[in-house]
Amino acid sequence: MSGLEDIGTPAATGHPWFGRHRLRPPDAPADTIREMLRTEIRDTGWPYQPLLPAAPIALPRASYAELFRATAALLDLVRRTALETAPTTEGRLAAYGMPDSEHRLFMADPFTEERYADCVARPDIMIGPDGPRFLEFNVSGALGGPVETHCRLEVWRKLYADDAGRLPFRCRSPFAVRAEMFRDLCAELAVAPRVALVGSARDQGVESTRYFDMEADHFNGHGLTARFFEPEDLHEAWDCPPRLRYPLGLRNFTLPDWAELGIDTAPVQAALDHGCLLVSTQTSTFLSSKLTMGLLSEGRPWMSAAERALVDRYLPWTRVLTHRRTSRGGREVDLVPFAVANRELLVLKESIGMSGKQVVIGRESGQAEWEAAVAGAAEAGTSVVQEFVAPRTCRLAMVADGVREPHDVEVAPVLGPLLFGGRPAGMFSRFFGDGTAGIVSVLGTNSSDDCVVAI
């Protein structure tokens, strides 16, 4: 039943951290694997992928556990760093230079607002020459990965289970762990176990609500009462008899996405004002900001030596880009001239961005373009420069459209361990299925995705 294959010495672009074993593709035709993967994720707005995985990405248990251990520790430091920038929400909005679009949907009670800001998190991690490097932290109820990981995992469980239901790998279900989180939150808040899933099918680009209904169905079968709400229906979560209200929910949308679609957030504000706690709260925007990564990388006065070592081990060198001096490799540098002169070593990122749209990779830019981008970012003061991490690869079986057999590819995955209420909740990955490298966003870049398991 093991299904494990010893691949021996990794490729020249590989890394021992990935281990020397992988899962063989399941004993099923390529057409079956493709059809099952596409059927499971149907009607969710997920883009068509001509290259699909023929097996889950498999990590040694020690490597798998390391990512969750480091994620939990770093998320605590990220939260502390964000909150200490100012004692109030108003102060943080000013300190981060947040656009007006982010100045809303905060809870009236600042303790509640801050307490539940980090309930849902997923970093983006690249395996570089020295092992795992955390490129950014996504802290939001709307982050990608839970639904996609659930769908991929459902397929692999069906294809790999033996007659006794045993599997050759381990992976937590995102929906199961999120249900655990909500049950605990209901107990902590002393409220009924009724959960509102707030989002919009318009955000997914489809008419179907299956993206949200899958999770609601799971919750309803595991001790919670759950319902998906479009914003126009959200008044039904609180404008009703007390026993029918939804005191808690998942905020599965982002302000930029809804602004682009013209979706009004007033119904969400009304729900918040009437006591519905939606996680993660709006304060999560400070935790997700790349500026927080820059502040943490540079070091905070309250950090212990062990915390400083943890940051140095897992975060690539990152600095908030302004006209100032800072440290680099044990020496002091003038940051803007240093950034201009070291284009091939650096990446420029705006503080708030999604899907790689606000990222400039120095080595993929001309010098004039890079200098202009750095100069503009330095004046605005809301971007960071980050050390470029040269990605290392692992071997994965892939199936292409129209082929009968899987083929091997050395892929450079961006790994996304999911953390819900501090609990490991499965791991998402995305990569270019043809083995190329670059800014990986499943939406719009013709890349592939998979779940990650432990062996």
Side-chain angles (χ1 to χ4, degrees):
M1 184 200 71
S2 73
L4 295 183
E5 178 181 15
D6 189 337
I7 60 175
T9 304
T13 54
H15 196 286
W17 186 89
F18 286 110
R20 56 181 295 154
H21 293 88
R22 68 168 184 174
L23 284 166
R24 299 187 190 93
D27 186 16
D31 284 344
T32 299
I33 297 173
R34 280 193 299 264
E35 181 63 24
M36 289 180 70
L37 288 169
R38 288 174 176 154
T39 298
E40 191 64 41
I41 207 164
R42 70 191 183 281
D43 299 329
T44 63
W46 207 233
Y48 184 87
Q49 297 176 14
L51 290 170
L52 288 167
I57 291 178
L59 298 180
R61 291 183 186 178
S63 297
Y64 190 84
E66 178 188 5
L67 294 190
F68 285 106
R69 187 172 65 251
T71 295
L74 289 170
L75 180 60
D76 177 62
L77 297 180
V78 164
R79 182 178 187 276
R80 289 162 62 187
T81 298
L83 294 182
E84 64 115 18
T85 55
T88 65
T89 292
E90 292 73 18
R92 290 177 205 126
L93 288 168
Y96 279 83
M98 285 291 179
D100 291 342
S101 60
E102 298 290 327
H103 290 225
R104 50 182 157 163
L105 301 190
F106 290 94
M107 301 285 293
D109 176 15
F111 173 78
T112 301
E113 177 65 41
E114 295 177 9
R115 170 72 178 84
Y116 301 105
D118 61 350
C119 290
V120 182
R122 190 210 75 215
D124 285 346
I125 303 170
M126 185 78 76
I127 307 305
D130 299 316
R133 290 293 180 268
F134 286 63
L135 305 182
E136 63 180 66
F137 261 87
N138 304 282
V139 188
S140 164
L143 54 80
V147 171
E148 298 80 9
T149 299
H150 166 83
C151 290
R152 299 313 192 201
L153 187 57
E154 286 292 291
V155 172
W156 302 136
R157 282 175 168 166
K158 292 172 184 174
L159 289 174
Y160 280 97
D162 66 10
D163 292 341
R166 295 172 299 182
L167 294 168
F169 58 79
R170 293 183 181 180
C171 181
R172 294 297 309 275
S173 161
F175 289 176
V177 178
R178 192 131 71 181
E180 291 174 12
M181 178 191 77
F182 276 119
R183 283 193 292 268
D184 283 356
L185 288 175
C186 288
E188 179 177 316
L189 296 164
V191 297
R194 298 174 61 81
V195 178
L197 304 180
V198 182
S200 178
R202 286 162 284 177
D203 205 356
Q204 307 308 121
V206 293
E207 294 184 3
S208 170
T209 60
R210 186 170 182 269
Y211 182 91
F212 306 97
D213 293 339
M214 282 190 289
E215 189 160 12
D217 290 345
H218 181 93
F219 287 3
N220 284 318
H222 292 82
L224 297 167
T225 298
R227 175 186 163 187
F228 165 60
F229 290 89
E230 289 275 358
E232 294 81 4
D233 304 322
L234 191 51
H235 64 279
E236 298 176 15
W238 57 267
D239 189 11
C240 56
R243 65 183 181 83
L244 299 179
R245 293 173 186 166
Y246 290 81
L248 190 62
L250 180 70
R251 183 178 143 165
N252 204 335
F253 66 90
T254 70
L255 288 174
D257 283 344
W258 275 19
E260 185 175 328
L261 293 167
I263 299 177
D264 188 6
T265 59
V268 179
Q269 187 63 64
L272 296 175
D273 293 343
H274 286 86
C276 183
L277 169 61
L278 300 179
V279 297
S280 292
T281 59
Q282 178 64 14
T283 293
S284 64
T285 193
F286 303 120
L287 280 64
S288 292
S289 171
K290 313 299 189 300
L291 301 186
T292 302
M293 291 281 285
L295 294 171
L296 184 57
S297 174
E298 194 155 6
R300 313 312 300 154
W302 43 263
M303 289 172 64
S304 69
E307 289 168 338
R308 176 73 263 178
L310 179 79
V311 169
D312 289 345
R313 177 177 178 181
Y314 288 109
L315 264 60
W317 181 88
T318 308
R319 291 294 186 270
V320 178
L321 184 60
T322 58
H323 293 279
R324 64 191 180 93
R325 299 187 69 80
T326 187
S327 59
R328 164 72 178 180
R331 64 187 181 92
E332 192 176 83
V333 297
D334 195 347
L335 184 54
V336 174
F338 173 82
V340 168
N342 290 274
R343 171 177 58 84
E344 294 194 357
L345 301 179
L346 300 172
V347 178
L348 178 66
K349 299 180 177 182
E350 289 187 22
S351 59
I352 298 178
M354 297 174 61
S355 304
K357 296 176 183 176
Q358 294 80 15
V359 176
V360 181
I361 299 177
R363 63 182 59 196
E364 297 179 4
S365 308
Q367 186 63 31
E369 176 191 357
W370 175 254
E371 290 185 16
V374 168
E379 292 303 321
T382 54
S383 296
V384 300
V385 283
Q386 186 176 82
E387 178 183 6
F388 176 81
V389 178
R392 293 299 183 259
T393 64
C394 63
R395 191 177 305 170
L396 182 65
M398 301 290 296
V399 287
D401 285 349
V403 303
R404 292 190 174 187
E405 298 291 337
H407 64 282
D408 285 351
V409 180
E410 291 289 329
V411 300
V414 176
L415 304 174
L418 299 164
L419 208 67
F420 300 157
R423 300 175 176 85
M427 194 178 301
F428 182 56
S429 67
R430 57 194 194 278
F431 47 87
F432 290 109
D434 60 2
T436 57
I439 298 174
V440 186
S441 169
V442 171
L443 301 177
T445 60
N446 202 33
S447 59
S448 304
D449 74 281
D450 202 357
C451 70
V452 184
V453 301
I455 56 175

